[in-house]
Amino acid sequence: MLKLHDELIEELAKSLMEQNYNPVVVTNHRLYARRFLDYLAERGMPVTMVTPAQVDQYFRHAVRCFQDRYGRPPSSRWHRLPHTAIGRLLRLAQGTWPPEIEIEPGAMLRRAICHDYGNWMRDERGLSDATIDARLREARRFLDWYFGRSGADDLSAMAVRDIDHYMDMRAIGLRRISLAGSAAWLRSLLRYLHQSGRVPTDLSAQVISPMLYAYENVPSILERGQIEMVLEATGRDRSPRGLRDNAILQMLAIYGLREGEICNLRLDDIDWRADSLRIRHTKTNACSYMPLLTPVGDALLDYLRLGRPQVDCREIFLRSFAPYTRMKNLYGMVDGRLAAAGVTPVGKRGPHIFRHARAVELLRASVPQKIIGDVLGHRSTESTNAYLKLATEDLRAVALDVPGSEVLS
């Protein structure tokens, strides 16, 4: 058993080193894994048969040992790294961890419906992955609610009253615009359920959503001076993370890209000889080509040469700590860089405010609306119209002649 334990620890350390983890992290993982395996050996528990309950038992034992040694309980974050190390160790020993839970028949049906619904949206409707994920989240929520409430084993008895009760439940704590989105996604699911024969009646028309008014909300926006402050402050940070964040912010400010379009950007999307950048638009699945402008190109070169980890991953922007996988969201980074620059926008503070700002700059530069839509990756002009309400200062400068207002002499 001891030989097996030593081999597992060495395999764990090798796996971490291959993922470019810091040597200190690797050493800590070895230490926590050794303590756990020693605990199992003392009790004659084979590591290949360990259950989640036994892992919980180990941590209760470890807490008691900590209290005996230091005279106080550990902090709430104390077990985080040991728990991670033990989880990785058990994945090596058992293949999967945590073990798969036996799925009840009702859950299997819900999973099958969502699987088929996702394929239908992808193959029949041609929707993007981001849209499919959002609609599947609503589908899972509705199906969990319906089966849990009705106790039925199929959808044949679904009625209008069920739709009304669900929307009443969803309305609690949601803004009108969020509730309208949930209603739209539920309609999509109900249309699919009817087309696939799982529901005899098309109930999609019975989903009542709140009234929304065109351009009723003015999105958050950054002024050019604020953008320059953020870029200047970030540009002074020459750490690997600073170089990465500067390149991302340059792309947000100059191209107005969506978060997913930056996170999905790959090394082969840059044509250095042609000074061109290929953008995969997340909402339309279409590709467009942008000129690789000097500020963006310089920032990308600095990051690729001096800041990006040397790994096989093809995505350009990676996490700053191991494991070095692609970034999945930019909200925390943008919020932190805004705060560091002393910029406090009104409303939301995510990456989309740079997109709004870029749209307004193009509008104020008298760029045709069609070209603005092409730059932003919009499928229709209606999507671009939403940005017109942001140029409020331009509207204030418009003076209208009022009939009968002439001064009579």
Side-chain angles (χ1 to χ4, degrees), residues 140-158:
R140 294 187 189 99
R141 184 182 288 112
F142 173 75
L143 293 173
D144 288 344
W145 174 88
Y146 177 78
F147 286 114
R149 176 176 179 270
S150 67
D153 55 3
D154 60 29
L155 301 170
S156 59
M158 187 185 298

Side-chain angles (χ1 to χ4, degrees), residues 194-297:
H194 174 62
Q195 291 182 21
S196 61
R198 289 185 168 94
V199 176
T201 306
D202 185 359
L203 298 173
S204 61
Q206 308 304 320
V207 180
I208 300 176
S209 62
M211 177 68 72
L212 296 180
Y213 302 96
Y215 317 136
E216 61 178 297
N217 293 320
V218 177
S220 307
I221 186 174
L222 292 175
E223 297 297 335
R224 171 45 59 178
Q226 294 175 310
I227 293 175
E228 295 297 339
M229 290 173 60
V230 175
L231 294 178
E232 181 180 355
T234 308
R236 291 195 296 266
D237 184 354
R238 302 300 294 176
S239 68
R241 178 182 287 187
L243 295 174
R244 181 200 68 186
D245 293 353
N246 182 52
I248 292 174
L249 291 171
Q250 291 285 355
M251 299 187 75
L252 286 171
I254 292 177
Y255 299 125
L257 299 178
R258 299 183 181 96
E259 177 183 66
E261 292 163 353
I262 290 180
C263 292
N264 294 330
L265 198 66
R266 297 170 62 86
L267 293 171
D268 51 357
D269 289 329
I270 306 176
D271 188 339
W272 296 104
R273 294 182 182 277
D275 286 333
S276 175
L277 191 66
R278 179 173 59 191
I279 305 298
R280 297 180 179 87
H281 297 290
T282 53
K283 285 194 174 182
T284 62
N285 280 331
C287 288
S288 62
Y289 293 84
M290 303 286 186
L292 185 60
L293 301 180
T294 300
V296 175

Side-chain angles (χ1 to χ4, degrees), residues 387-398:
Y387 295 98
L388 292 170
K389 59 186 175 182
L390 294 168
T392 53
E393 294 302 321
D394 301 77
L395 296 176
R396 291 192 182 102
V398 177

